[in-house]
Amino acid sequence: MKTTTAILAALLLLCLTITAAVSWGSAPIPVSTVWSIIASKLSPGSVDVVWSAGRESIVWDVRLPRVVLAGLVGAGLALTGAVLQAVTRNPLADPHLLGVSSGGALGAIIALLHTGLILGLATVPLFAFAGALAATALVALVTRVLGTNADRLVLSGVAVAFTLTSVGNLMIFLGDPRAVHTVIFWMLGGLGLAQWPHLVYPAVVLTACLGYLVLRAREINALAMGDETATTLGIPVRRFRLVLFVVTALLTGVMVAFSGAIGFVGLMVPHFVRLFAGSDNVRVIPLSAFVGALVLIWADLFSRVVMAPEDMPIGVITGLVGGMAFIAILKRQRVSQRHGHGAIAAYLIGRPSPRHDMRSE
């Protein structure tokens, strides 16, 4: 009963958030008009048309697909962050910091500047996925050379991210000047190019990956507690970790293909979720996706209204907030190390602390 109530409450909150995001903007539109337009599109003839064609276009063609894309991308990035933090046992793991987003952005840039979109709408997502996967492999290789501890992983990711971003900038500089404005979108992050035909790709990928990760959440719990623990439970550690890296690369690549490189959502949201949901990934994974969707929808709304009628790149907003969150996490880690408190470190890496209730395992 509690689970059903929680799901209904979450759906209601998401519905209210979407309504507010579509209604508010440089040209405010009443909530009743918003829902009337949506109803008329979903069921033609069910509602009398009492609004202008301009308002209908703003709601259906501009704001609603943008809000839906924000929810999909926020859910995907937060989901990726939660899984990476558990799998790498690193509280700072994030698709942006580990270079995965930069790899996806580089793949999207190559697709836009050098392929002529030979595969149609699927070209950019496929190249972005390939770039994200290549970045993940590169980070793993550099980490193996430098050392496998958590700090080296993050440093390797930052180095790879800077390198791939520089390569992307060079391609933009040498590319067609007419395409530069469009490509810059992928470097700063934004949702202004959202269109209904494009949403099928992130929606399908998010649904498939979320379903898989929810089903494997208990195995992810075991992996977060260490390779030895996972092995004793019969989990093929190397193969399972590789599958999870491929899944997170796919999620990141597809999301980056349609939103650009939006940073720190995957870092912030899972930590916030663990504050009230604990470290059990059975809860953390789906809740991270839900909260990530809410966070990015509100961030996008802020980006639309703070400089209206111009849109501020959403990556600027998440970068500012995420940078402060990053400092707070580092400070908490330092306090934990100074006082020898295992509970905080356990909370950060998503594994049960000695005080954690193990009944959910």
Side-chain angles (χ1 to χ4, degrees):
M1 187 65 179
K2 290 183 178 180
T3 302
T4 303
T5 303
I7 293 174
L8 292 176
L11 292 175
L12 177 61
L13 179 58
L14 182 61
C15 183
L16 292 175
T17 298
I18 292 174
T19 302
V22 176
S23 176
W24 296 346
S26 56
I29 298 175
V31 171
S32 58
T33 302
V34 168
W35 280 109
S36 296
I37 293 172
I38 294 174
S40 70
K41 289 293 184 178
L42 297 178
S43 178
S46 61
V47 181
D48 293 333
V49 177
V50 293
W51 54 83
S52 66
R55 282 193 168 184
E56 180 174 312
S57 178
I58 290 173
V59 170
W60 187 255
D61 298 324
V62 179
R63 290 185 186 172
L64 188 57
R66 178 170 177 154
V67 170
V68 172
L69 180 60
L72 294 173
V73 171
L77 295 179
L79 182 61
T80 300
V83 174
L84 288 176
Q85 288 167 17
V87 171
T88 62
R89 305 176 68 199
N90 189 323
L92 303 179
D94 162 82
H96 194 69
L97 286 178
L98 294 186
V100 185
S101 293
S102 298
L106 178 59
I109 290 171
I110 293 173
L112 288 167
L113 293 181
H114 300 288
T115 67
L117 301 180
I118 55 176
L119 301 176
L121 290 178
T123 306
V124 176
L126 287 175
F127 272 74
F129 166 56
L133 192 59
T136 302
L138 187 57
V139 171
L141 178 62
V142 174
T143 303
R144 177 172 294 184
V145 173
L146 297 180
T148 57
N149 62 56
D151 292 336
R152 294 295 174 88
L153 177 66
V154 174
L155 291 175
S156 300
V158 172
V160 169
F162 273 110
T163 302
L164 296 180
T165 299
S166 297
V167 173
N169 290 336
L170 178 61
M171 286 188 172
I172 293 174
F173 178 74
L174 298 176
D176 185 353
R178 293 172 296 180
V180 168
H181 178 73
T182 302
V183 173
I184 289 295
F185 162 81
W186 267 269
M187 305 302 293
L188 298 178
L191 303 167
L193 301 181
Q195 298 178 32
W196 287 115
H198 297 171
L199 298 184
V200 62
Y201 298 102
V204 170
V205 170
L206 176 63
T207 301
C209 292
L210 178 60
Y212 174 79
L213 294 172
V214 167
L215 291 175
R216 304 303 295 272
R218 295 191 184 279
E219 287 93 331
I220 295 174
N221 277 341
L223 199 61
M225 295 181 70
D227 290 0
E228 292 183 0
T229 300
T231 301
T232 58
L233 294 174
I235 298 173
V237 173
R238 289 188 177 181
R239 186 174 66 186
F240 185 47
R241 182 178 282 118
L242 177 61
V243 170
L244 291 177
F245 280 141
V246 172
V247 170
T248 54
L250 175 61
L251 262 175
T252 305
V254 172
M255 299 308 162
V256 167
F258 293 101
S259 67
I262 298 176
F264 291 106
V265 174
L267 176 68
M268 298 183 295
V269 172
H271 289 297
F272 174 74
V273 168
R274 291 189 187 99
L275 287 175
F276 62 86
S279 60
D280 186 359
N281 285 291
V282 173
R283 296 188 296 270
V284 170
I285 286 175
L287 282 174
S288 293
F290 173 72
V291 176
L294 295 181
V295 166
L296 205 60
I297 289 174
W298 283 109
D300 179 59
L301 175 60
F302 182 80
S303 74
R304 287 191 283 118
V305 300
V306 68
M307 294 178 61
E310 298 293 330
D311 285 353
M312 176 185 291
I314 195 171
V316 174
I317 297 171
T318 59
L320 289 173
V321 177
M324 293 184 286
F326 187 80
I327 294 172
I329 292 170
L330 289 176
K331 183 178 180 182
R332 179 170 291 194
Q333 271 193 309
R334 183 178 179 182
V335 172
S336 173
Q337 293 171 355
R338 180 184 299 172
H339 297 286
H341 291 165
I344 294 178
Y347 141 74
L348 283 172
I349 64 175
R351 54 179 173 166
S353 70
R355 297 181 181 180
H356 181 73
D357 186 357
M358 296 294 289
R359 288 176 295 179
S360 61
E361 297 293 319

